Amino acid sequence: MKKYLLLFCFLTINSFAQKTTVYCIGDSTMANKADPEHNPEHGWAQVLQPYFKDNFVIVNKAQNGRSTKSFINEKRWDSIYKKLKKGDYVFIEFGHNDEKIQDSTRYTNPHTTYRYNLIKFVQEAREKGAIPILLTSIARRNFNEKGVLVPTHGDYPLETRLTAQEYNVPFIDLEYYTELLEQSYGPEKSKLLHLHFKEGENPFYKTAKDDDTHLSFKGATEIAQIVLNQIKNSKNPLLEKLQKGIK
């Protein structure tokens, strides 16, 4: 009996150890939201887990309002670094709050601090044998009066692209693909991807809501599908295990 109990414990521990963790670090466009049964806002990493097999665990550590700078200074990255193990993955998507030039606790120069923070995430993930994946920020719904989607992220996506190229990091150009998504819906219908409610239309909000940055469940799901499709279609050998983990 004791032998069988030991065998059961070994198999249980071994099964747990074989799980691959996918850490997600970023801002509110990625983060889990409170009260998901009633809250219409969702981050795209919040909806990832059901698309993965049981041997993959999504740990979404993205947090509202964080930039690369504040994420590091608040020791959020340190808490992940300590737990990283060989074969884990780290999705890295920042930029929205690095742009906050009026806030010294969050703002980063895209060509210096932002870039070097991305390099820090990449190098330290690799130190632990984990595989970083860089993603550009999702596009905002920012159509002008002519129906043209106008970019809002300045040079931050460029620096993400350059860092991925220089350090040979798996890369998903989420800004590009979400631009295509917004444009496919058009200026009016694209409101469905975000948070647009008249006063009294949604009980979660006391007043009208017009938010072109954050995502509805539909928007989050669409973007999660983009990420999954880009992983599945990638030829990068570093993503082979991750590809096998997608249902």
Side-chain angles (χ1 to χ4, degrees):
M1 183 66 183
K2 185 178 180 181
K3 181 171 70 174
Y4 288 117
L5 183 60
L6 289 171
L7 178 62
F8 174 78
C9 291
F10 172 79
L11 291 173
T12 301
I13 293 169
N14 193 48
S15 175
F16 179 79
Q18 288 177 353
K19 287 184 181 291
T20 298
T21 303
V22 179
Y23 289 95
C24 302
I25 65 172
D27 53 43
S28 56
T29 61
M30 195 188 210
N32 293 339
K33 309 300 175 182
D35 195 11
E37 296 298 319
H38 302 98
N39 188 350
E41 183 182 343
H42 289 71
W44 65 261
Q46 183 178 356
V47 301
L48 277 180
Q49 186 66 69
Y51 298 102
F52 281 88
K53 297 174 183 175
D54 290 343
N55 59 329
F56 276 75
V57 179
I58 306 298
V59 177
N60 188 8
K61 292 294 186 177
Q63 191 72 24
N64 291 3
R66 267 54 179 192
S67 67
T68 58
K69 183 178 184 179
S70 59
F71 200 86
I72 291 169
N73 288 345
E74 293 172 4
K75 308 297 183 184
R76 295 177 185 276
W77 172 244
D78 285 349
S79 69
I80 295 165
Y81 176 78
K82 291 173 184 175
K83 296 177 182 177
L84 277 175
K85 64 183 187 297
K86 185 176 180 179
D88 285 344
Y89 288 86
V90 185
F91 289 168
I92 305 163
E93 187 222 345
F94 287 95
H96 279 88
N97 297 298
D98 288 82
E99 303 166 18
K100 306 287 187 182
I101 200 164
Q102 302 299 326
D103 185 349
S104 64
T105 66
R106 294 189 287 178
Y107 174 73
T108 61
N109 182 324
H111 307 296
T112 56
T113 306
Y114 177 73
R115 169 181 167 77
Y116 282 95
N117 286 345
L118 293 183
I119 294 169
K120 175 184 173 70
F121 294 142
V122 167
Q123 291 181 331
E124 292 187 358
R126 285 173 169 174
E127 282 175 13
K128 302 296 287 283
I131 300 164
I133 301 172
L134 285 171
L135 305 95
T136 47
S137 298
I138 67 168
R140 288 187 173 93
R141 179 188 167 274
N142 186 45
F143 289 93
N144 68 14
E145 67 279 359
K146 300 294 186 181
V148 176
L149 187 68
V150 180
T152 66
H153 295 310
D155 287 340
Y156 294 91
L158 172 63
E159 286 298 344
T160 307
R161 295 181 186 104
L162 291 173
T163 302
Q165 185 177 44
E166 182 177 348
Y167 288 85
N168 195 26
V169 184
F171 171 66
I172 299 174
D173 200 344
L174 206 49
E175 183 190 40
Y176 170 67
Y177 290 109
T178 54
E179 282 180 357
L180 295 181
L181 177 66
E182 298 282 354
Q183 290 164 345
S184 71
Y185 273 77
E188 187 60 32
K189 193 177 176 185
S190 58
K191 291 179 181 179
L192 296 173
L193 302 172
H194 298 278
L195 305 169
H196 283 260
F197 300 101
K198 298 175 183 176
E199 186 172 354
E201 186 178 357
N202 190 294
F204 194 82
Y205 298 116
K206 295 180 180 179
T207 59
K209 187 80 170 175
D210 292 293
D211 184 339
D212 293 318
T213 297
H214 299 99
L215 302 167
S216 64
F217 177 76
K218 181 179 183 63
T221 302
E222 290 267 23
I223 293 173
Q225 287 288 354
I226 289 171
V227 172
L228 294 166
N229 288 338
Q230 289 303 303
I231 293 168
K232 287 190 286 188
N233 294 330
S234 175
K235 304 299 183 185
N236 193 320
L238 291 172
L239 299 184
E240 286 181 4
K241 185 174 72 167
L242 193 60
Q243 290 168 335
K244 293 175 182 177
I246 298 172
K247 291 179 180 177

